[in-house]
Amino acid sequence: MRVTIKDVSRVSGVSIKTVSRVLNKERYVGEETRAKVEAAVAELNFRPNVAARSLAGRRSFQIALICDNPSPYYVYEMQSGIRDRCVADGVRMIAQPYDRNSPTLLDDIENLVDATHVDGLILTPPVSDYPHVLDLLQRRGVRFVRVSPGSPLDLAPSTFIDNAAAAATMTAHLLSLGHRRIGFIAGHPSYATSGQRLQGYASALGQQGIAFDPVLVREGSYDFASGAAAAAALLSLAEPPSAVFASSDDMAAGALTTAHRYGLSVPGQLSIAGFDDTALAGFVWPPLTTIRQPTRQMAYQAADLLLAPAHAPVERREVGYELIVRESTGPAATQ
């Protein structure tokens, strides 16, 4: 027979209402009482029924991830991090991919809210910066957390890394290897991170007295094909760069393929670096030097912010990044 909340109440020796408060992570429950309930839950292998919990209160115990990203690695890590946090509270995650260019984007999100009655949304770039989406959720009173937002930063809780500093760190690494003409493949301008990473690249050059040259910058779309095309444009210059820094691993992998197609040795004749440290960075040859963006940790923190009490103040949580040096970068050939 299915174990019920009444069984947990009987074994723990507390009321059904108190058991419910413990299961719902409510405050003002004594530690001793909470321990009794948790012990009974473990002993009976009790699994709360989400539908019953929803009827008992105003929560659906469901949150939704709104994602539109060309990298399957990014999406997987984002989903995994959110799911890791949801498990602790017995909350279900709904992952909903959307096309940012769809004319029905607003209707699709509103329909999701109405159909599922989710307790909140996690918005990933670039939707995390779409004014119409943010306005819709505010008008509907739907809680949301933004991942890697641009502005305004005090609108809702958010989690992020310092993209400008991370890009500056990678650029400084290439400069330390003797590279002075460093090509940069930026992401799509609809992502706030694209401008932040470009800013970091330019800042690092300026600190070494190297003028920013727009000829060395090409725009990509955070995918393999755009990285390959951008690298081809950079390598076709009369004075091509000795290093290419792509602001995602997918684009860096595309640049690496172009280098191989041009017969260039990497890193002997051309150094290539990426950003994210997805699984792809280790699959390609040579493995990519990259910036490790802890996507899973950002996702976990985003879910933690969303599951916090509704009256909690707006909080921005910064997650650290790391420079990962692998075989795709080396000293400039002119040294």
Side-chain angles (χ1 to χ4, degrees):
M1 295 180 63
R2 179 182 177 86
V3 177
T4 69
I5 194 172
K6 292 182 180 179
D7 297 314
V8 177
S9 172
R10 173 178 52 78
V11 172
S12 63
V14 302
S15 68
I16 292 177
K17 183 176 181 180
T18 299
V19 172
S20 177
R21 292 176 63 189
V22 172
L23 294 176
N24 291 333
K25 309 293 183 181
E26 294 181 16
R27 298 181 296 172
Y28 310 119
V29 177
E31 289 303 316
E32 183 178 349
T33 300
R34 189 180 301 276
K36 288 181 180 179
V37 173
E38 291 175 347
V41 167
E43 177 185 341
L44 298 170
N45 195 27
F46 175 68
R47 295 291 181 270
N49 183 288
V50 173
R53 293 169 72 193
S54 300
L55 290 173
R58 297 181 178 179
R59 297 177 59 190
S60 68
F61 296 93
Q62 298 182 116
I63 64 174
L65 166 66
I66 305 298
C67 53
D68 177 11
N69 192 289
S71 171
Y73 302 99
Y74 178 91
V75 174
Y76 173 77
E77 290 295 303
M78 186 62 58
Q79 291 178 348
S80 298
I82 295 171
R83 188 166 54 246
D84 289 346
R85 177 60 184 86
C86 285
V87 166
D89 279 16
V91 173
R92 179 182 292 117
M93 178 197 70
I94 301 172
Q96 187 67 56
Y98 283 106
D99 178 2
R100 63 179 177 272
N101 298 316
S102 171
T104 64
L105 176 63
L106 284 178
D107 290 337
D108 292 340
I109 293 178
E110 190 160 25
N111 288 337
L112 170 69
V113 171
D114 289 337
T116 63
H117 303 288
V118 288
D119 297 325
L121 303 176
I122 294 176
L123 309 177
T124 62
V127 179
S128 54
D129 278 315
Y130 278 17
H132 295 304
V133 172
L134 303 180
D135 180 64
L136 167 68
L137 297 178
Q138 285 185 300
R139 285 190 291 102
R140 291 291 305 270
V142 179
R143 296 184 68 191
F144 60 93
V145 172
R146 303 161 74 197
V147 177
S148 301
S151 60
L153 298 178
D154 59 350
L155 184 64
S158 61
T159 180
F160 65 100
I161 69 166
D162 190 334
N163 283 281
T169 296
M170 177 59 78
T171 307
H173 170 67
L174 295 172
L175 290 168
S176 74
L177 294 172
H179 298 283
R180 291 299 177 265
R181 284 185 66 77
I182 302 173
F184 185 78
I185 304 178
H188 194 276
S190 63
Y191 291 75
T193 54
S194 299
Q196 294 164 358
R197 293 173 190 178
L198 178 59
Q199 177 189 353
Y201 158 80
S203 174
L205 293 177
Q207 289 179 9
Q208 293 297 318
I210 300 174
F212 174 81
D213 186 353
V215 172
L216 291 173
V217 177
R218 291 293 185 274
E219 182 183 302
S221 298
Y222 284 126
D223 61 1
F224 181 94
S226 67
L234 289 169
L235 296 176
S236 298
L237 293 172
E239 189 180 354
S242 63
V244 172
F245 174 19
S247 50
S248 81
D249 289 340
D250 290 73
M251 293 194 297
L256 188 59
T257 296
T258 295
H260 292 327
R261 182 160 54 86
Y262 279 36
L264 298 174
S265 67
V266 179
Q269 293 173 288
L270 178 70
S271 285
I272 296 178
F275 199 112
D276 290 330
D277 196 31
T278 62
L280 179 64
F283 293 158
V284 297
W285 184 259
L288 290 170
T289 291
T290 188
I291 291 292
R292 177 170 293 163
Q293 174 178 233
T295 304
R296 186 179 293 218
Q297 187 179 352
M298 282 201 301
Y300 184 97
Q301 294 299 330
D304 190 60
L305 287 168
L306 190 58
L307 295 173
H311 60 272
V314 173
E315 182 180 353
R316 300 187 68 231
R317 292 186 185 174
E318 181 176 354
V319 178
Y321 64 86
E322 183 180 357
L323 171 66
I324 305 298
V325 179
R326 298 193 180 99
E327 291 93 329
S328 69
T329 55
T334 55
Q335 282 193 326

